[in-house]
């Protein structure tokens, strides 16, 4: 069992004094960083500033109990905490403020996130995991308020999982489950549903979590009494307080943000509950101040009264800390000992200000050098080319008037010069073009890399293993194929686990996990409450801690509850850390081809447009789905797998190599050869299209059917283009609304692959009506593409080109 902060506090007075003065110095440095950051924004050297002034003391107290292996999922003002645990320096703070794209100088996001968004790097450069038990871990922050909460649940749940299961390599991720997950949130954000859903789940699951609420009384300009049911957060949360002898609920602690001794005691108690008893804890840190207001976007003088502003000045945490230090004295062996005089603390203030200024200056110079370097390379060649071209001279003049020069200004000048000198063949132009191409490649890496994995385990590297069939291969229900495949996955991968509504005891509503909880236990195959957002977040946190979770969302329509987390968190983890963190979560769901407004949706276009960074896989049957799961467990990328709801009871031949065969991601499959028209579809609609193609053959039309299999990525080898070259006609079919995924497929095929050059007819899309199917028995037929719809619309395509052979009917 790990020791706690309480158990380690047996120090001499000199050690105690050093700790206090070090804490004060850190607080002052952080405050000076906040002050200077605001000035840098207001003078135009940075775009925006949101800082952590006023929260220094509680964050210092929290850092005391934060150990190697622990994780934080937090709020974008935790700069003092991040400094205290070694995840932030003065230089990296200002590098992030300036949006420096160097991962060495700004390791949290390499300029991809605005300031105040912190992260540590969980991965080595090759994408392998670091030993997370030897570092203090910060999961990458996001801006959406309370969006960090669902992930927090998973980070805490991982410790509980590691207490129960072990596997080779687990020692890199956990020390027998003794880690605590720390969350931080602004009090106004507790009005968000994500806060309540996460707290409810954490209390039900009893996970080791410490959640700090920084309560400054406002949400930007909106005061507390307009934010929540009761101003007293502890009173409002009292129903969550656990009762003696009960294993449900949480511990709730209230403490003032300016009371240093009380903060240390509060966090020490919280650590005991979380780390020793595995109980979630909520710390309501009240009377927090914001000396500079919410952000550089506005002034808090606009909405705070003079009395409130005066109170905040008097209750500033650092001022209160300074007063406490200067008034502190203790008798030891008849001798009075003090910590520091006011004058000595003033000297610490001065040194802190000077230290921060020096660090900021270094950061600014490093940032400027990266821009000035390309400018200095390119400008002599541009000026040489401008001698005979007035337009370039004008561009140079405008360029030299720019006050705060950015990369975009340099690139704009280079590109304009290359455009105006397109007919010139000179050494200066050749050199300028070379400079541009080298710089553009570097900036492509700076701004657009790592949306997906670039490691050896990226999906495109996973070898295809085809399913093997023999005379002994059985015809079984599709659900049996997927169940038996999951059985092999859980046998093969001890770090695999699945959870969701009804996923455990009954083996999911379609029995795709039937009997697996009894075989592998309720830690690995588990039920959850009806709480889709935190089912997703649970998966994200578990994946960030080295496990291989499958988060089950019962129906595709319900995934809409998860879209915020999918889009803002999971899809951006790898990108927003420039390869520093990953969360290879698999989201399992099912949908398509049913009646009823909320059990028949196919919101695929909404999904694919919001989750770039996640693979979106749409298998046509359960064997294909099983192959995708086998592929994904060898990969380190996140994915959504949409199983076909009407496939669980349809018969499929079960492969002999169940659990071993793989389906390549991003590869299409031609399921029927044809010569007259290319029909492109996916998922359940494939069966409709296949039946329609049989009818078309009888009408003299030979259709080639392509199952795209995955929407993201889409046909990575441009194989659909080869089909269009042969047939010269293209029809895309799905059951999303008009202009939905069919529009995406057309754009990819016609524009990106260049199929327009080979078309003899207008490409058409066949989609669903712009509403969801009614529950009436024939709702699907009249709302979504039917066999009749596909046959008639494809037939009319041929009528337009040859009305004699294909007369109108």
């Amino acid at each position: 069992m790990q020791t706690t902060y309480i158990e380690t506090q047996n120090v001499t007075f000199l050690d105690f004094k050093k700790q206090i003065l070090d804490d004060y110095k850190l607080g002052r440095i952080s405050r000076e960083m906040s002050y200077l950051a605001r000035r840098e924004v207001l003078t135009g050297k940075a775009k925006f500033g949101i800082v952590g002034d006023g929260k220094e003391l509680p964050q210092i107290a929290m850092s005391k109990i934060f150990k190697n292996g622990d994780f934080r999922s937090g709020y974008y003002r935790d700069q003092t905490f991040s400094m205290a645990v070694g995840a932030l320096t003065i230089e990296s703070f200002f590098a992030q403020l300036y949006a420096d794209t160097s991962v060495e100088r700004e390791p949290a996001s390499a300029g991809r996130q605005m300031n105040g968004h912190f992260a540590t790097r969980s991965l080595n450069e090759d994408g392998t995991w670091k030993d997370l038990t030897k570092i203090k871990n910060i999961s990458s922050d996001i801006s959406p308020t309370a969006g960090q909460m669902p992930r927090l649940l998973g980070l805490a749940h991982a410790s509980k999982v590691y207490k129960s299961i072990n596997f080779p390599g687990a020692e890199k991720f956990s020390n027998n489950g003794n880690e605590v997950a720390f969350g931080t949130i602004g009090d106004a954000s507790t009005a968000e549903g994500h806060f309540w859903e996460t707290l409810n789940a954490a209390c039900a699951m009893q996970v080791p979590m410490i959640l700090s609420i920084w309560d400054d009384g406002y949400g930007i300009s909106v005061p507390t009494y307009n934010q929540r049911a009761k101003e007293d957060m502890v009173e409002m949360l009292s129903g969550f307080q656990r009762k003696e002898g009960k294993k449900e609920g949480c511990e709730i602690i209230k403490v003032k943000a300016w009371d240093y001794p009380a903060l240390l005691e509060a966090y020490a108690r919280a650590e005991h509950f979380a780390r020793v008893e595995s109980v979630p804890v909520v710390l309501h840190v009240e009377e927090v101040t914001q000396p500079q207001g919410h952000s550089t976007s506005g002034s808090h003088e606009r909405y705070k009264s003079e009395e409130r502003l005066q109170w905040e000045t008097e209750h500033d945490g650092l001022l209160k800390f300074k007063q406490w230090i200067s008034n502190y004295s203790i008798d030891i062996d008849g001798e009075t000992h003090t910590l520091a005089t006011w004058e000595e603390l003033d000297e610490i203030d001065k040194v802190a200000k000077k230290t921060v200024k020096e660090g900021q200056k270094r950061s600014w110079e490093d940032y400027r050098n990266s821009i000035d370097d390309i400018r200095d390379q390119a400008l002599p060649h541009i000026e040489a080319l401008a001698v005979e071209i007035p337009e370039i001279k004008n561009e140079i003049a405008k360029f030299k008037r720019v006050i705060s020069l950015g990369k975009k200004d340099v690139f704009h000048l280079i590109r304009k010069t290359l455009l105006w000198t397109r007919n010139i063949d000179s050494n200066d132009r050749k050199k300028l073009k070379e400079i541009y191409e080298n710089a553009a490649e570097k900036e492509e890496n700076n701004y657009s890399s790592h949306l997906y994995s670039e490691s050896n385990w990226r999906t495109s590297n996973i070898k295809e293993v085809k399913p093997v069939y023999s005379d002994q291969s059985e015809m079984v229900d599709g659900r049996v194929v997927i169940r038996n495949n999951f059985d092999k996955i859980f046998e093969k991968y001890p770090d695999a686990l699945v959870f969701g509504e009804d996923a455990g005891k009954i083996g999911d509503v379609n029995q795709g996990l039937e009997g697996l909880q009894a075989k592998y236990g309720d830690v690995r195959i588990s039920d959850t409450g009806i709480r889709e957002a935190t089912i997703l977040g649970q998966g994200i946190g578990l994946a960030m801690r080295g496990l291989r979770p499958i988060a089950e969302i019962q129906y595709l329509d319900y995934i809409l509850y998860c879209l915020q987390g999918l889009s803002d968190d999971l899809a951006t983890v790898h990108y927003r850390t420039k390869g520093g963190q990953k969360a290879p979560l698999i989201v399992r769901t099912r949908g398509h081809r049913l009646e009823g407004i909320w059990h028949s949706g196919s919101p695929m276009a909404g999904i694919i447009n919001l989750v770039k960074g996640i693979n979106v896989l749409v298998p046509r049957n359960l064997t294909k789905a099983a192959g995708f799961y086998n592929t994904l467990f060898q990969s380190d990328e996140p994915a959504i797998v949409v199983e076909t709801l009407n496939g669980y009871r349809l018969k499929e031949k079960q492969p002999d190599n169940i659990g071993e065969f793989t389906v390549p991601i991003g590869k299409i499959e031609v399921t029927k050869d044809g010569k007259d028209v290319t029909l492109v579809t996916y998922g359940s609609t494939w069966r409709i299209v296949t039946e329609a193609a049989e009818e078309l053959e009888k009408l003299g039309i030979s259709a080639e059917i392509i199952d795209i299999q995955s929407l993201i990525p889409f046909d990575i080898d441009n194989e659909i283009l080869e089909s269009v070259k042969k047939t010269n006609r293209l029809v895309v079919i799905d059951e999303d609304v008009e202009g939905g995924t069919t529009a995406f497929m057309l754009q990819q095929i016609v524009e990106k692959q260049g199929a327009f050059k080979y078309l003899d007819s207008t490409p058409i899309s066949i989609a669903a009506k712009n509403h969801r199917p009614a529950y009436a028995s024939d709702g699907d037929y009249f709302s979504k593409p039917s066999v009749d719809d596909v046959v008639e619309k494809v037939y009319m395509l041929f009528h337009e080109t040859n009305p004699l052979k294909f007369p109108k009917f």
Side-chain angles (χ1 to χ4, degrees):
M1 180 71 69
Q2 287 193 13
T3 56
T4 64
Y5 180 73
I6 293 174
E7 295 163 329
T8 59
Q9 294 312 292
N10 184 16
V11 297
T12 66
F13 178 76
L14 288 178
D15 289 336
F16 172 69
K17 177 177 180 177
K18 183 179 186 306
Q19 173 191 306
I20 298 298
L21 296 184
D22 284 348
D23 287 351
Y24 180 75
K25 179 181 178 182
L26 175 60
R28 283 309 320 176
I29 286 174
S30 182
R31 177 65 62 85
E32 292 299 334
M33 285 161 52
S34 297
Y35 288 156
L36 186 52
R38 183 177 180 85
R39 287 196 291 274
E40 291 296 277
V41 173
L42 297 181
T43 56
K45 289 165 74 176
K47 293 184 290 187
F48 177 76
I50 191 161
V51 289
D53 52 323
K55 300 172 177 64
E56 294 90 356
L57 287 193
Q59 290 181 19
I60 288 171
M62 183 169 74
S63 73
K64 304 284 186 187
I65 63 168
F66 194 77
K67 298 183 182 297
N68 285 350
D70 288 348
F71 261 87
R72 166 192 162 277
S73 180
Y75 175 49
Y76 44 76
R77 294 183 188 274
D78 293 347
Q79 71 194 45
T80 311
F81 170 82
S82 299
M83 292 188 75
V85 301
L88 182 72
T89 65
I90 298 170
E91 290 79 5
S92 63
F93 172 85
F94 283 101
Q96 191 175 65
L97 185 74
Y98 303 135
D100 194 327
T101 54
S102 165
V103 74
E104 290 77 22
R105 295 191 291 269
E106 204 277 90
S109 76
R112 295 182 178 186
Q113 295 225 75
M114 67 174 66
N115 82 298
H117 292 68
F118 307 111
T120 51
R121 303 192 73 77
S122 303
L123 306 178
N124 299 305
E125 285 189 18
D126 62 358
T128 56
W129 290 99
K130 294 181 178 179
D131 187 336
L132 302 186
T133 68
K134 289 184 166 53
I135 55 179
K136 294 178 171 68
N137 303 282
I138 294 178
S139 63
S140 176
D141 293 342
I142 56 175
S143 290
T145 54
Q148 73 273 27
M149 293 296 295
R151 181 198 334 143
L152 172 64
L153 178 68
L155 293 171
H157 181 214
S159 291
K160 195 167 183 178
V161 172
Y162 280 119
K163 282 182 185 291
S164 301
I165 65 172
N166 197 9
F167 54 88
E171 66 278 358
K172 291 181 65 173
F173 302 107
S174 179
N175 177 19
N176 299 315
N178 286 314
E179 298 79 23
V180 173
F182 290 71
T184 63
I185 190 170
D187 71 293
S189 296
T190 63
E192 296 275 14
H194 282 349
F195 170 82
W196 296 100
E197 190 172 318
T198 301
L199 183 58
N200 175 63
C203 289
M205 295 169 66
Q206 290 293 284
V207 293
M209 180 181 95
I210 297 174
L211 173 61
S212 299
I213 302 171
W214 311 138
D215 189 348
D216 59 23
Y218 291 84
I220 304 184
S221 67
V222 181
T224 296
Y225 56 79
N226 284 340
Q227 296 279 356
R228 54 183 185 251
K230 293 188 176 182
E231 289 193 63
D232 189 330
M233 193 77 195
V234 169
E235 183 184 353
M236 193 166 71
L237 292 173
S238 59
F240 286 90
Q241 174 67 52
R242 67 173 180 158
K243 291 183 171 60
E244 189 173 347
K246 296 283 188 179
K247 290 188 175 180
E248 57 185 18
C250 64
E251 287 293 334
I252 301 171
I253 301 170
K254 181 190 282 191
V255 65
K256 298 190 185 304
W258 46 264
D259 190 340
Y260 178 78
L263 285 164
L264 294 182
E265 181 186 2
Y267 276 97
R269 287 177 59 212
E271 184 190 19
H272 173 81
F273 290 130
R275 202 178 302 277
V276 177
E277 299 185 32
S278 193
V279 172
V281 184
V282 176
L283 276 115
H284 179 210
V285 183
E286 62 176 352
E287 298 190 8
V288 178
T289 63
Q290 278 191 340
Q292 299 183 106
H294 175 265
S295 70
T296 54
S297 292
S299 169
H300 59 160
E301 284 85 356
R302 292 184 298 159
Y303 54 86
K304 289 179 182 174
S305 67
E306 289 293 332
E307 292 77 14
R308 172 69 190 194
L309 291 169
Q310 181 61 35
W311 179 89
E312 289 198 13
T313 300
E314 294 169 357
H315 287 79
D316 183 298
L318 290 182
L319 175 61
K320 286 281 192 179
F321 194 22
K322 193 174 186 178
Q323 292 168 347
W324 180 82
I325 293 171
S326 63
N327 291 329
Y328 185 93
S329 66
I330 187 172
D331 285 336
I332 302 175
D333 297 331
E335 187 177 349
T336 299
H337 293 265
T338 61
L339 294 174
T341 65
W342 195 271
E343 291 73 23
E344 288 171 328
L345 296 172
D346 280 345
E347 186 59 32
I348 291 176
D349 296 350
K350 291 177 185 175
V351 171
K353 188 170 187 176
K354 182 173 182 286
T355 302
V356 170
K357 183 60 182 174
E358 290 171 347
Q360 174 270 323
K361 185 178 179 182
R362 286 191 292 272
S363 290
W364 178 249
E365 288 174 352
D366 287 339
Y367 169 68
R368 288 304 321 165
N369 287 340
S370 67
I371 299 171
D372 294 345
D373 181 55
I374 184 174
R375 177 200 64 188
D376 295 343
Q377 287 182 58
L379 200 55
H381 303 289
I382 294 171
E383 289 175 332
L385 289 165
V387 173
E388 303 295 331
I389 304 175
E391 288 82 2
I392 300 179
K393 290 180 180 178
N394 292 336
E395 290 294 334
I396 293 172
K398 286 192 289 183
F399 177 79
K400 291 185 175 180
R401 289 196 296 269
V402 175
I403 295 172
S404 184
L405 201 68
K407 291 178 186 175
K408 66 176 183 180
D409 302 299
V410 182
F411 269 73
H412 175 72
L413 180 61
I414 294 173
R415 293 171 75 175
K416 292 291 282 187
T417 302
L418 291 173
L419 180 64
W420 281 104
T421 59
R422 59 194 181 276
N423 295 321
I424 295 176
D425 183 15
S426 69
N427 287 331
D428 280 305
R429 192 179 189 282
K430 288 177 183 175
K431 186 62 179 174
L432 183 63
K433 185 181 177 185
E434 181 184 334
I435 291 168
Y436 170 73
E437 289 172 348
N438 291 337
E441 182 179 357
K442 182 178 179 182
E443 300 311 328
E444 176 72 14
N445 177 271
N446 284 337
Y447 291 97
S448 298
S449 64
H450 293 92
L451 181 60
Y452 298 93
S453 173
E454 298 182 10
S455 75
N456 290 334
W457 302 276
R458 57 186 177 270
T459 56
S460 59
N461 276 4
I462 307 306
K463 183 181 177 182
E464 179 181 9
V465 177
K466 292 186 179 297
V468 174
Y469 298 99
S470 68
D471 293 340
Q472 284 72 46
S473 301
E474 290 185 85
M475 289 295 293
V476 297
D477 289 346
R479 72 166 191 90
V480 174
V481 175
I482 201 77
R483 180 200 66 191
N484 291 346
N485 196 78
F486 276 133
D487 188 10
K488 292 292 185 181
I489 283 174
F490 288 109
E491 180 183 291
K492 185 176 182 179
Y493 299 100
D495 52 349
L497 56 159
V498 63
F499 46 89
E501 299 156 18
D502 301 308
K505 188 172 183 179
I506 69 170
D508 88 44
V509 291
N510 299 101
Q511 286 79 59
L513 298 167
E514 181 187 27
L516 298 187
Q517 186 181 79
K519 185 172 183 179
Y520 295 103
D522 60 6
V523 171
R524 296 184 65 196
I525 319 289
S526 59
D527 289 309
T528 70
I530 299 176
R531 49 174 182 82
E532 284 81 7
T534 48
I535 291 173
L536 174 74
Q538 194 174 328
I540 296 172
L542 290 166
M544 295 183 90
R545 289 196 58 188
L547 293 161
R548 293 308 312 266
I550 303 171
E552 176 156 322
I553 305 300
Q554 200 163 83
Y555 293 106
L556 182 59
D557 296 278
Y558 302 169
I559 211 168
L560 299 182
Y561 284 100
C562 306
L563 274 181
Q564 187 272 325
L566 285 166
S567 182
D568 293 327
D569 200 354
L570 183 60
T572 67
V573 165
H574 204 54
Y575 173 78
R576 73 178 187 262
T577 58
K578 200 183 180 186
Q581 294 183 2
K582 62 183 174 183
L585 167 65
I586 300 169
V587 178
R588 181 191 182 212
T589 188
R590 55 193 63 81
H592 308 315
R593 309 308 307 196
L594 280 182
E595 288 93 3
I597 291 173
W598 287 288
H599 291 80
S600 59
S602 299
M604 301 308 301
I607 292 169
I608 64 171
N609 282 294
L610 289 169
V611 303
K612 297 293 169 58
I614 302 173
N615 295 283
V616 179
L617 312 180
V618 282
R620 66 178 182 269
N621 58 36
L622 278 304
T623 300
K624 289 290 183 180
F628 276 139
Y629 290 120
N630 296 337
T631 298
L632 290 168
F633 267 89
Q634 297 179 51
S635 172
D636 63 354
E637 294 184 21
I640 299 169
V641 182
V642 185
E643 298 172 12
T644 55
L645 250 176
N646 58 7
Y648 294 108
R649 296 292 180 265
L650 295 176
K651 297 295 183 183
E652 298 182 31
K653 186 176 283 191
Q654 178 170 278
D656 296 344
N657 57 340
I658 196 80
E660 300 299 328
F661 66 92
T662 61
V663 175
I665 291 173
K667 300 289 188 74
I668 62 104
E669 182 178 350
V670 178
T671 61
K672 177 186 175 299
D673 290 326
K675 59 184 177 60
D676 296 328
V677 62
T678 300
L679 307 181
V680 180
T681 190
Y682 63 86
S684 291
T685 308
W686 174 84
R687 296 183 186 277
I688 301 290
V689 172
T690 299
E691 189 176 339
E694 293 174 3
E695 293 290 317
L696 290 167
E697 288 286 348
K698 298 172 186 176
L699 296 169
I701 299 170
S702 174
E704 182 148 292
I705 301 175
I706 291 177
D707 175 12
I708 62 168
Q709 303 197 100
S710 68
L711 281 161
I712 301 177
F714 184 89
D715 188 14
I716 56 177
D717 293 329
N718 292 346
E719 292 180 84
I720 298 174
L721 176 63
E722 298 308 309
S723 177
V724 175
K725 286 180 181 179
K726 177 175 64 174
T727 67
N728 307 119
R729 289 179 180 84
L730 173 65
V731 180
V732 296
I733 311 103
D734 89 333
E735 52 178 301
D736 201 355
V737 296
E738 294 176 324
T741 314
T742 49
F744 167 74
M745 291 191 288
L746 282 176
Q747 182 267 335
Q748 291 285 301
I749 301 164
V750 175
E751 179 188 334
K752 193 171 181 180
Q753 295 188 9
F756 69 93
K757 292 178 286 188
Y758 305 97
L759 291 173
D760 292 338
S761 300
T762 302
I764 65 170
S765 62
I766 302 175
K769 298 289 179 64
N770 291 325
H771 57 75
R772 300 185 193 186
Y775 181 62
S777 297
D778 298 318
D780 178 85
Y781 179 84
F782 288 102
S783 301
K784 293 191 174 185
S786 65
V787 173
D788 297 325
D789 293 328
V790 176
V791 169
E792 291 171 9
K793 290 184 180 182
V794 174
Y795 179 88
M796 290 306 295
L797 184 66
F798 283 83
H799 164 76
E800 292 173 7
T801 57
N802 193 340
L804 291 176
K805 184 177 179 182
F806 302 100
K808 205 168 190 178
F809 59 91

